[in-house]
Amino acid sequence: GGALQRRPRLDSAQATLLASQIAAARHPPAIFSAGRRQPTCDVDALRKQFTTTCIREADPRHQQTYMSARSGSMTARETSPKPAEDKASLLEKGAPTPPPPPAPGAKQLLFCFIGLQASYLTWGYVQEKVMTKEYSTGRFPSATFCVFSNRVLAVTVAWAVTMYKHGGKLNIPAPLWVFAPCALSNTLSSFGQYQALHYVSFPLQTIAKSTKVIPVMIMGKVLNKKTYPCVDYIEAVLICLGVSLFSLANVTTDFFGGGTSGDASSYAALAGLAMLALYIVSDSFTSQWQSRLYQAHPTVDQFQMMFAVNTWAIIMTTFALVTSGELWTTLQFIGDNPIAFLDNVTIAITSATGQLFIFYTIKTFGPIVFTIIMTTRQMFSIVLSTVIFGHAIKPLMGLGAVIVFATIFNRIKRQAAKRKQAAPVAAGGK
């Protein structure tokens, strides 16, 4: 009935392999196990299996299997599914992209503004009182201890909130050493700010703080390779000019007089300017380094940042207090002056709440917006002083206030227009 199937022809290698296998099957080696000879192989079954294999190799439908030339065993070709396509290829095929996170709005900015102002206006007032006023046994002996007490309460608050938010775990999703540089700069900044009041008056310190916007932008270019348009530099100069005019209106004859020593000598002036320079440079570095950490480790939240930075700061200030001997002197002073203890507690509380707002503001809006808020705080601190002590508001102060607020409102308007222009572009790309 049907045509006979033609046996495929074997090449020399296949023929040699088949002959060797048949010979081995007919004359197996004498290997004994437990007194029994191993069973011999079926020669006809081996020949039939080999022939079937050759037929399959000739058939293109069976090309996914092959026979090893050495062992003659059949091995299946790998037929595992292709790896998952990457995200870029899915986007090219029109897969839906996840919606971007909502941009921070005016309510968040107002929340940051009010929180920072309330915390640091109170903190600045009590800080000046601690470092410049006389207690029953003299003036407060150590600026380093003020930094230390602030960090102790801050790390306690950060630990409690971090444990609550992360289910009782204190896991910092970043190496601890990356927080050390900004902890050192933050400690030096606070020390310089406290210590400067021993040599310069409050108005001069306020003017120095008002120029911090420009160093922050320079640090951004150095640390984070940021580029700023010319309008940003113009706004920074105008803000510095406005706050400086506002501050200069309150300058008196003791402008260069030290807050504690009252010495207007050249040494006091140079020491005061050196402390102010330490404060400005260190504080500018701190905010930009923290912004860099948030970008490199986006899973780090402000409470974990607060805990890590203040832990390093406690280690540094404790070492400084013990080696200098100021720890025991200050503890004795606080024991003799309970009011000084309450003032330090007030500074620590407002410093802790202020740090929470600092980290949240930098993470949400960046270091430039944070610096602008803190720069305007200098002006508000003088307003607070004017209201409390009954000073008159001079025309130069009004001019400075107009320049600062006009610049800030123009910046807000410009950024809102930029986001409005970017919204249709983002919607069209979806």
Side-chain angles (χ1 to χ4, degrees), residues 161-184:
V161 177
T162 302
M163 295 289 286
Y164 174 77
K165 284 192 63 178
H166 298 278
K169 296 181 180 179
L170 193 63
N171 295 330
I172 308 297
L176 289 180
W177 67 267
V178 300
F179 300 95
C182 60
L184 176 61

Side-chain angles (χ1 to χ4, degrees), residues 37 44 64 117 127 164 285 378:
R37 182 164 179 163
D44 294 332
Q64 286 195 355
Q117 299 297 340
Q127 174 208 28
Y164 174 77
F285 176 88
Q378 312 305 329

Side-chain angles (χ1 to χ4, degrees), residues 34-35 82 84 105 124 139 169 187 213 251 256 272 306 320 404:
K82 294 182 179 180
R139 302 186 186 276
K169 296 181 180 179
T187 302
V213 179
V251 172
F256 282 98
M306 185 175 175
V404 170

Side-chain angles (χ1 to χ4, degrees), residues 204-223:
L204 178 58
Q205 188 188 66
T206 304
I207 292 175
K209 291 178 181 179
S210 69
T211 63
K212 197 172 61 176
V213 179
I214 297 176
V216 167
M217 298 177 73
I218 295 174
M219 285 290 180
K221 291 181 68 68
V222 174
L223 293 178

